[in-house]
Amino acid sequence: SEFGDESVVSRQQLEEENEQLRTELLILKGRMQRTTEVVAENVRLRNLLNATEMLKDQVLVAELIGVSPDPTRHTILINRGEESGVYVGQALLDADGLMGQVVEVHRNSSKVLLVTDTAHALPVQTLRNGARSIAEGSGDYNQLSLRYVPPTMDIVVGDRLVSSGLGGRFPVGYPVGVVTEVQTVVGEPYLSVKLKPSARIDRSRHLLLLFSEVETL
């Protein structure tokens, strides 16, 4: 009986500790994104984004509590709102990259427009050479596309794209996606460029709201 009681307490403590560790890991992954995706892969950005700068972004853990019933809209509901200091335009991350931005704020919840929604556009740049473009949603959770990419632009399959910070909506240097396809379209003046989102758009449940001063390169 006594041993059984101790086992129950120990299990509860382990579950609490596990939850705490999971949360800490999520925060660490969010803060490390700029280190692993930007600094380690691009010398030019390494000089601009030092460790102090990367860790100054404050984050708040949020949880997904609802998904839009409209299959044509990629929006979600999270369990943080005005009481947590959430604001319209705030960036939302998962452990791997940018998920979207807050478009509506309520007392204890907020609506987020995901980067894959057809109404969403995000200024990005290629890590390899700094080439800038606009990533827009395709209506597919597993695909983004680049807008107005000229045939002269140096971009190849495997290139990693991060937020450029232009436009003042997202902070600079967070992973957005990886190029999966670059094609010339007959009769069109621009290349067709497809990306696989860095974030697990349709799978992530535990998320990070980013409190950050927007910077530009």
Side-chain angles (χ1 to χ4, degrees), residues 112-131:
V112 175
L113 182 69
L114 299 176
V115 294
T116 50
D117 189 280
T118 54
H120 195 281
L122 166 65
V124 295
Q125 65 185 37
T126 308
L127 278 179
R128 182 170 54 84
N129 56 19

Side-chain angles (χ1 to χ4, degrees), residues 78 86-90 100-105 110-112 209:
I78 58 173
V86 178
Y87 55 89
V88 171
Q90 188 169 14
Q101 63 179 307
V102 175
V103 290
E104 289 181 16
V105 180
S110 297
K111 182 179 179 181
V112 175
L209 285 158

Side-chain angles (χ1 to χ4, degrees), residues 159-210:
D159 272 344
R160 296 173 180 268
L161 281 83
V162 298
S163 52
S164 69
L166 296 180
R169 289 188 298 170
F170 285 101
V172 65
Y174 284 89
V176 174
V178 178
V179 177
T180 56
E181 177 186 306
V182 179
Q183 290 188 343
T184 301
V185 182
V186 177
E188 293 292 331
Y190 302 108
L191 296 174
S192 171
V193 182
K194 307 299 184 185
L195 311 176
K196 177 178 175 56
S198 297
R200 297 181 297 167
I201 304 294
D202 60 343
R203 287 171 287 170
S204 291
R205 176 183 171 190
H206 297 96
L207 309 165
L208 295 172
L209 285 158
L210 188 62

Side-chain angles (χ1 to χ4, degrees), residues 14-26:
L14 285 172
E15 288 177 350
E16 290 175 355
E17 289 175 6
N18 185 56
E19 178 71 12
Q20 178 66 23
L21 286 171
R22 183 192 56 73
T23 300
E24 290 176 0
L25 179 61
L26 175 65

Side-chain angles (χ1 to χ4, degrees), residues 63-177:
E63 188 170 350
L64 184 151
I65 56 174
V67 178
S68 172
D70 182 352
T72 66
R73 298 310 309 270
H74 288 193
T75 59
I76 60 173
L77 197 66
I78 58 173
N79 67 340
R80 299 286 189 175
E82 291 176 357
E83 292 193 351
S84 298
V86 178
Y87 55 89
V88 171
Q90 188 169 14
L92 185 76
L93 314 172
D94 73 354
D96 301 302
L98 282 170
M99 287 277 291
Q101 63 179 307
V102 175
V103 290
E104 289 181 16
V105 180
H106 308 287
R107 185 174 179 182
N108 290 301
S109 65
S110 297
K111 182 179 179 181
V112 175
L113 182 69
L114 299 176
V115 294
T116 50
D117 189 280
T118 54
H120 195 281
L122 166 65
V124 295
Q125 65 185 37
T126 308
L127 278 179
R128 182 170 54 84
N129 56 19
R132 292 190 171 111
S133 185
I134 302 291
E136 56 186 6
S138 67
D140 180 339
Y141 287 119
N142 297 306
Q143 183 173 282
L144 301 171
S145 61
L146 293 189
R147 180 192 297 174
Y148 307 136
V149 178
T152 54
M153 182 170 167
D154 177 12
I155 188 165
V156 297
V157 171
D159 272 344
R160 296 173 180 268
L161 281 83
V162 298
S163 52
S164 69
L166 296 180
R169 289 188 298 170
F170 285 101
V172 65
Y174 284 89
V176 174

